[in-house]
Structures are given as C-alpha cells and as structure tokens.
Amino acid sequence: MNAAIVMPALNEAATIEALFHDIQTSVSLPIWLVDDCSTDTTGDLASNMDVRVIRLPESLGAWGATQTGLREAASRGLDFVITMDADGQHNPEDIPALLAPLIAGECDVSIGSAPDRGSRLRRLAWRLMRLTSGLRCTDLTSGFRALNARAIDLLASPSASSLVYQDVGVLLMLEKADLRVVEIPVTMPQRADGKSRIFGSWLAVVHYMAHTLLLSAAKRKRPWVSR
C-alpha cells in the first residue's frame, strides 16, 4: 500500500518517542514528521527512530505543516495519507479503521471522530460552527484523518494554502469538491502535557472563533451529507 503518516510537530520531545513506538507496533507505514521549527529535540529524536523528518525553515502552524506533508505526498503519487497529531491524542491502533473505507472505495476522506471529548465550551463552539457552516460533521476539529489521492491533491493545492486552520475551512473545501466524507468513532485522551499549540490565551480563542465563524458563513454551500 502506497501510503504514509503525516505528522506536524512543534516541541513534542516529551512524548514523541512513545508515540512513534506505538505507531510502529500498530501499522507498517512510513512516518513523515514535519518539524514546525521546534526549539527542542523533536526532530532529532524522530530521526533516530527511522522517521523521515521534514524541517521547515520557518514556522507555518499546524495546518501549514500538514499541508507541506500533503504536498510531498502528492508529488510522490501516494494513494493514501493519514494525518495525526504529535501530542499523543490520536491512537495509532485506530489507523486501520480509518483506512478501511478508503481502501474499499466507500469514501475519499475518513475522520477519526470523538465528539464527546473536551469541555462544554468546546461543544458549544462546535454547535455554533455547525449552525453557521451548515456542516453536519460531529467532530469539526479532529486532525486525525485518512485521505485518498483525490483529497490529497485538493488539500495540497494553492487554494488550500489560504486556510489558517485545519478544521472547518478544510471540511468546507472537501464539501465544495463533492468529496465523500465519513466519520469513524475513536477515543481521544487528553494531551500528555496539557498544552495547546494553537490556543495559548483566551485572546487566541476569540480570534479563532471569530475567524472560523466568518469563514463558515462566507463559504457555506449546503448541508453536510455523511455516508
């Protein structure tokens, strides 16, 4: 199977070795770590564990780093890519379940979905996003996904580079292209170190919500149809 795991990472040295070990004992797929200008030993630890490291010359954020990996996958003609976080929230044992419907030709994208995770505020935010975007996806912010070649090419395109975050904007882009998306139930534990790489303050949360809700309203097309 011509596939790879694409993992954006920023300063995840505390947990990255254990995660790589879990992945390598669960699936036989190459891991591409996109190092988003870490200031710790994340990249070096990955290199020592037979992981391909793509080091960015400047920080692009989680989505920019992910798209870098997707562009590399598109250039190599990969059939499938699994995107997952480097913080230990995504269980490698769920990867086969994400890939199964793509291999069977039942969808173009599968999303590892855990809608019960997080606080009441997070679930309220998701509700507002669904209302403004028309999306029916239950877990709007999961970065744990499997993509086929068509989805890889779309999200590696220049039009996807205008996105700031990997959630609602990506889902709306997939919808507009009429790609088939399914959600696969998974369990997501809390981050091992409890820190978010995106929301360092409440001001960042407010900025994210304002940006996402405006994008949702502007790009809304039609209700989400999950298969």
Side-chain angles (χ1 to χ4, degrees), residues 32 67-78 81 149 152-157:
W32 298 355
Q67 195 189 38
T68 298
L70 294 178
R71 286 177 172 172
E72 180 67 9
S75 71
R76 291 174 176 249
L78 265 60
V81 161
I152 293 168
D153 288 342
L154 175 67
L155 298 183
S157 67

Side-chain angles (χ1 to χ4, degrees), residues 21-227:
H21 179 268
D22 290 344
I23 293 173
Q24 291 166 343
T25 56
S26 297
V27 293
S28 298
L29 293 174
I31 304 169
W32 298 355
L33 181 107
V34 186
D35 188 353
D36 193 29
C37 293
S38 295
T39 56
D40 63 6
T41 58
T42 295
D44 294 335
L45 291 172
S47 296
N48 292 335
M49 294 190 69
D50 195 28
V51 170
R52 182 184 179 199
V53 178
I54 302 172
R55 299 181 189 268
L56 298 180
E58 61 180 79
S59 178
L60 298 179
W63 170 241
T66 299
Q67 195 189 38
T68 298
L70 294 178
R71 286 177 172 172
E72 180 67 9
S75 71
R76 291 174 176 249
L78 265 60
D79 298 318
F80 306 107
V81 161
I82 299 89
T83 63
M84 60 188 301
D85 295 347
D87 57 19
Q89 289 190 94
H90 301 155
N91 186 351
E93 293 180 358
D94 290 322
I95 291 174
L98 288 182
L99 281 171
L102 275 73
I103 294 172
E106 298 171 356
C107 65
D108 301 293
V109 178
S110 64
I111 300 173
S113 175
D116 293 331
R117 65 191 167 99
S119 64
R120 291 183 180 178
L121 283 176
R122 173 180 284 191
R123 291 194 288 271
L124 174 60
W126 284 347
R127 187 177 303 171
L128 291 173
M129 292 175 193
R130 281 192 289 269
L131 285 172
T132 54
S133 68
L135 294 169
R136 290 176 56 193
C137 179
T138 59
D139 190 337
L140 291 166
T141 59
S142 174
F144 194 20
R145 301 169 179 164
L147 318 170
N148 68 9
R150 187 180 173 197
I152 293 168
D153 288 342
L154 175 67
L155 298 183
S157 67
S159 59
S161 299
S162 63
L163 299 174
V164 179
Y165 304 104
Q166 65 178 356
D167 39 47
V168 171
V170 168
L171 297 176
L172 287 168
M173 181 172 284
L174 294 171
E175 179 191 69
K176 185 177 180 180
D178 292 322
L179 296 191
R180 300 164 298 164
V181 179
V182 299
E183 292 186 87
I184 305 297
V186 300
T187 300
M188 293 188 194
Q190 294 294 321
R191 286 178 56 100
D193 63 5
K195 298 176 183 177
S196 169
R197 70 170 295 187
I198 298 175
F199 304 129
S201 68
W202 280 106
L203 181 61
V205 173
V206 171
H207 178 271
Y208 166 79
M209 284 301 300
H211 177 277
T212 302
L213 294 177
L214 286 171
L215 177 67
S216 298
K219 299 294 185 180
R220 179 170 180 161
K221 179 185 176 185
R222 61 181 182 277
W224 175 283
V225 178
S226 182
R227 302 181 183 182

